[in-house]
């Protein structure tokens, strides 16, 4: 995790999550510690669960982000940092994040808006400020009642990466129509 990604996760935590964190369940999607992790930021959470497609440090559950093996409305806070650019179908992962997040919970996604190619194992996407509003629309179209509360590209980065952030709040949970 590059330094600006960590700083942006701290910003999210301090602004939205620090109160009663000891009562919150946090799920980290794409949690494998390649070069850092958000776990220290959320160390006082009631429970912190790391999910990744590969086993390794900071991974509690090995599984696909396209089919997260947790029940609906499980997490108070769902986070993902520096992973969506590597996800062949990030929009499916985002819907899974919406599914597992409780009403009044938060979803935090950080991904690069630019920067060098860095396959892990692939590097498919870059995200701009408008990307997060588009994902909000996709979630609403898919019957998830979420609201983008912040979406921006951080100009105070470490020079190589320009982090793009989407921060969402899950509103009243809608019933999916079958």
């Amino acid at each position: 995790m590059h330094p600006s990604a960590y700083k942006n996760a701290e910003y999210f935590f301090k602004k939205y999550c620090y109160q009663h964190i000891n009562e919150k369940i946090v799920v980290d999607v794409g949690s494998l510690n390649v070069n850092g992790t958000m776990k220290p930021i959320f160390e006082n959470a009631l429970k912190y669960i790391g999910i990744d497609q590969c086993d390794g440090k900071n991974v509690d559950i090995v599984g696909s982000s396209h089919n997260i093996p947790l029940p609906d409305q499980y997490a108070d806070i769902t986070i993902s940092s520096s992973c969506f650019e590597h996800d062949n179908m990030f929009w499916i992962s985002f819907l899974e994040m919406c599914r597992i997040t409780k009403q009044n919970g938060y979803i935090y996604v950080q991904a690069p808006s630019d920067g060098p190619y860095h396959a892990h194992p692939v590097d498919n996407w870059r995200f701009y400020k408008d990307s997060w509003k588009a994902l909000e629309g996709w979630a609403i179209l898919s019957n998830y009642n979420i609201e983008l509360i912040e979406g921006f590209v951080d100009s105070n980065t470490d020079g190589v990466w320009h982090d793009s952030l989407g921060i969402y709040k899950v509103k009243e949970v809608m019933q999916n129509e079958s």
Side-chain angles (χ1 to χ4, degrees):
M1 168 176 290
H2 55 278
S4 60
Y6 193 86
K7 287 178 187 173
N8 281 314
E10 285 181 315
Y11 162 80
F12 165 68
F13 173 80
K14 289 174 184 173
K15 186 166 182 181
Y16 297 103
C17 306
Y18 75 94
Q19 291 184 340
H20 307 290
I21 190 65
N22 61 332
E23 301 171 5
K24 307 288 184 191
I25 297 172
V26 177
V27 174
D28 185 351
V29 178
S31 65
L32 180 65
N33 186 345
V34 175
N35 59 355
T37 173
M38 293 184 284
K39 189 172 187 175
I41 297 169
F42 295 92
E43 68 185 347
N44 292 322
L46 174 64
K47 185 183 259 186
Y48 176 100
I49 300 170
I51 298 174
D52 206 292
Q53 63 185 357
C54 302
D55 192 19
K57 189 174 180 184
N58 200 45
V59 177
D60 301 301
I61 299 173
V62 175
S64 170
S65 61
H66 300 163
N67 187 19
I68 297 173
L70 292 171
D72 294 354
Q73 301 175 47
Y74 178 80
D76 299 287
I77 303 163
T78 306
I79 56 178
S80 182
S81 181
S82 303
C83 293
F84 271 31
E85 71 269 26
H86 303 293
D87 189 333
N88 289 331
M89 296 181 285
F90 66 85
W91 52 92
I92 302 298
S93 299
F94 185 71
L95 290 183
E96 278 292 281
M97 292 171 73
C98 292
R99 180 186 67 76
I100 67 165
T101 305
K102 294 177 184 175
Q103 182 175 329
N104 296 314
Y106 291 99
I107 299 171
Y108 170 85
V109 182
Q110 176 275 322
S113 67
D114 62 7
Y117 178 82
H118 61 292
H120 191 75
V122 297
D123 188 5
N124 299 310
W125 316 103
R126 295 297 180 263
F127 295 80
Y128 303 106
K129 178 183 177 184
D130 297 337
S131 303
W132 309 119
K133 191 70 175 170
L135 272 178
E136 175 194 58
W138 170 242
I140 291 169
L141 184 65
S142 300
N143 293 319
Y144 292 102
N145 193 8
I146 68 165
E147 177 183 12
L148 177 67
I149 55 177
E150 283 194 66
F152 61 92
V153 174
D154 182 10
S155 60
N156 298 314
T157 60
D158 56 23
V160 176
W161 302 104
H162 294 99
D163 299 337
S164 186
L165 281 78
I167 301 171
Y168 302 87
K169 183 149 189 170
V170 177
K171 299 183 336 184
E172 182 179 334
V173 177
M174 296 168 57
Q175 295 296 322
N176 279 331
E177 297 176 13
S178 300

